[in-house]
Amino acid sequence: MKQKLYSNGQVLSIVILRILTGWHLLYEGMIKVFDPGWTAAPFLNNAQGTFAALFKNIASSPLLLEIADQLNQWGLALVGLSLILGFLSRPASIGGMALLFFYYVAYPPFIGVEQGMAEGNYMIVNKNLIELFVFLLFFMFPTDRIIGLERLFYRSKNQTFTHNVKNVAAGNR
Amino acid sequence: MEEERNPNGLSRRDMLKGLITLPVLGYFANRFYVKHKSDFTQHRDRQSVFGISETTFNPVVNMAVTGERLRVGIVGYGMRGTEILRGMGYADNEWAENNMTGGKPNPVLQSFFAQDNLHIEITGVCDTFSLRAEMAQATAATKCRAGNAPQQKTPEIYPTYREMLEDNNLDAIVILTPDHWHAQIAADAALAGKHVYLEKPMCRTAEEAKMLRKIVKETGIVLQVGHQNRQQASYIKAKEIVDKNILGNISMVETFTNRNNDHGAWIRDIPGRANESNVNWKEFLGNSEWREFDPDRYFNWQKWFEYGTGPAGNQFTHEYDCVNQVLDLGIPERVTAVGSLYYFKDRRDIPDLFNAVFEYASKGLSLTYDCTLRNSKLRDKTFLGSDASMEVNVGVVVYPDRQSEKYKKYNPAEDEPLFHYHPRSNIVDATTSATSKYYHERGFGYTYHNGERIDTTYLHIKEWLQCIRNGTKPSCCVDKGFEETVTFYMSNLAYLEKRVVEWDPVRETIK
């Protein structure tokens, strides 16, 4: 028996959120790609909290800094693209979580840590942390095969595709 | 009923749902192109109107430390002493321990370790309070050195600076004493052929400044006045902005000191262990009027004109030197000043409210200074031009003047900057707006290079040492110190004598 995994409303809600989040990361990535002077060095050098020394070390090594710069700009852009298109967005969500984890721990909104330039007021929870968990949601509730490029690949491979609760629960989507 | 499928097994519904988000990407690409083009055009356009460079670097940061090892003596080791010694690459253990977080150096301590090895040795120290001389001695022999410099041997403690100079075991001295000793020690050192780093203000009076300038020029030693803001990247950028006439005619420059606590009013802790047996009171007094031992006068000497120079010498000199390096103002023609002692009615004789106006008739501008010790609002140095206003601190922000035609085409909002510069990102930014918190960061003592925080005192000392080795003139040389001293001294005279004080630039005398 065919059984829909999510209702239409649920799919729509998640896909809209997926596209908006993708838009945000794609723009963050592209703005850096198109800015020849951009580097993560100031961000890393001013890092606060427990891992500040680690980020400073990255900034002080030209090789590591280059890697961090490339991973940042292209990582953001590719994760964003993946989310908008609905293609490989589960692995992209892990990448997104990793990026946001670094942004979060580089400037953690903890009590007693200097907050620097924040456009709002945060205590422990900030927008980076929330977006990180939005990615967890995308990982746990994948929609690429319902609305997204992945649907084309999957359906052409598997003509009897159904959204089956059992299969998903067994990890065999 | 099964949907109709193409040979790949895809139905029309599959195609629709698979590709439905593509238009979002198309829309994104279109908007990105439009926004990027408009930002870029605006950015380039403003850059070309202003003709200013994108970035600013202080050459002292990357200046190589070369040449012979220099032997340095320290005269006076008060509060500023610990900061100066860190600038020289010597951190006391207590400070280093306080800057460890979780067993690792915090960013401030890391920044200290990242300083260059300045290739010096502290060969002698002295202070009229023997405990402080011992502290200076211990710090000089610290293991906690910047730039991987090795630990040096313990320097000698001299009873006074005179024995230190006589011993001839040094090439240069750093003078960190109360103001009333500056001129005398600097002159004696210069006559002994020693180079001098002298805390601000250079001297207390115009006569002292004249005497010291003459001796420094005759002996050819290298003297650097301790205005470390000479190393602040924002002033280098501010000078470029002024030189390119972005502000139009500058009619006024406003400077401020706002403080609102006891420390800011020069009420400092008096060490319980200080007494007549370990304080050389006679040496402290020097040529000033004889009095019985008075710990308040000794430790809080800034409160009296006999030893200090009031808000003008203590604070305005910083502001003045910042403006002087941007505008090359020199000495004003006329100065008026008012002030009073309203709030700190201890035994002091310096004012806690002080307002001075410095007239530069030949330049068509006046410089103002307002000091209150009963309010701590941050007010940036502001340059008021006919086309734009510029606020300078660690960063630089330029606001268009709404009555000026020059920047009308940008249709700027009055409270929105035309552009701003912050050394932390080191990019002149005309496209994005940052928060005011970002522009107005208080910049006492540090600047940034490539996003990295650097102690300006360290850079200032490094410049001085390299000037000694290369035989070149430092940025805050004796001529700049002369202008600084005469200018603030005129305001003190105006306040104390309740009159307009004038400067005769030909005779170099005060009328």
Side-chain angles (χ1 to χ4, degrees), chain B residues 277-333:
Chain B
S277 72
N278 53 25
V279 170
N280 188 344
W281 174 245
K282 188 165 175 266
E283 177 72 8
F284 164 80
L285 286 178
N287 292 329
S288 50
E289 185 186 339
W290 170 258
R291 293 168 192 280
E292 290 306 315
F293 178 59
D294 183 341
D296 191 20
R297 280 180 182 264
Y298 181 76
F299 288 103
N300 297 320
W301 53 265
Q302 288 96 337
K303 298 196 297 184
W304 287 273
F305 277 118
E306 275 178 84
Y307 327 109
T309 44
N314 252 298
Q315 297 312 119
F316 167 69
T317 49
H318 277 303
E319 306 293 318
Y320 168 80
D321 189 68
C322 291
V323 178
N324 198 25
Q325 61 176 297
V326 174
L327 295 181
D328 205 7
L329 278 182
I331 297 167
E333 284 98 333

Side-chain angles (χ1 to χ4, degrees), chain B residues 35-63:
Chain B
K35 179 159 172 44
H36 187 257
K37 198 174 154 196
S38 107
D39 286 354
F40 186 75
T41 315
Q42 194 184 29
H43 186 59
R44 297 305 329 168
D45 199 13
R46 289 192 192 178
Q47 281 270 309
S48 60
V49 169
F50 298 146
I52 50 173
S53 59
E54 291 255 355
T55 57
T56 291
F57 288 118
N58 179 347
V60 177
V61 174
N62 291 327
M63 191 185 268

Side-chain angles (χ1 to χ4, degrees), chain B residues 6-116:
Chain B
N6 67 15
N8 291 325
L10 295 171
S11 68
R12 198 176 299 166
R13 181 188 297 254
D14 290 334
M15 295 300 284
L16 188 68
K17 288 192 170 177
L19 300 174
I20 196 163
T21 60
L22 269 181
V24 175
L25 203 58
Y27 183 61
F28 177 92
N30 170 272
R31 292 295 90 192
F32 184 81
Y33 174 75
V34 171
K35 179 159 172 44
H36 187 257
K37 198 174 154 196
S38 107
D39 286 354
F40 186 75
T41 315
Q42 194 184 29
H43 186 59
R44 297 305 329 168
D45 199 13
R46 289 192 192 178
Q47 281 270 309
S48 60
V49 169
F50 298 146
I52 50 173
S53 59
E54 291 255 355
T55 57
T56 291
F57 288 118
N58 179 347
V60 177
V61 174
N62 291 327
M63 191 185 268
V65 178
T66 54
E68 80 274 27
R69 183 181 193 79
L70 292 171
R71 299 165 302 164
V72 184
I74 306 291
V75 184
Y77 190 71
M79 202 184 73
R80 185 74 183 132
T82 54
E83 295 165 0
I84 290 280
L85 256 68
R86 283 200 292 277
M88 294 168 73
Y90 299 79
D92 60 279
N93 293 336
E94 192 188 340
W95 178 83
E97 275 161 26
N98 288 339
N99 281 289
M100 297 287 282
T101 318
K104 288 186 173 165
N106 72 8
V108 175
L109 186 52
Q110 284 175 38
S111 158
F112 166 78
F113 285 132
Q115 290 174 193
D116 288 329

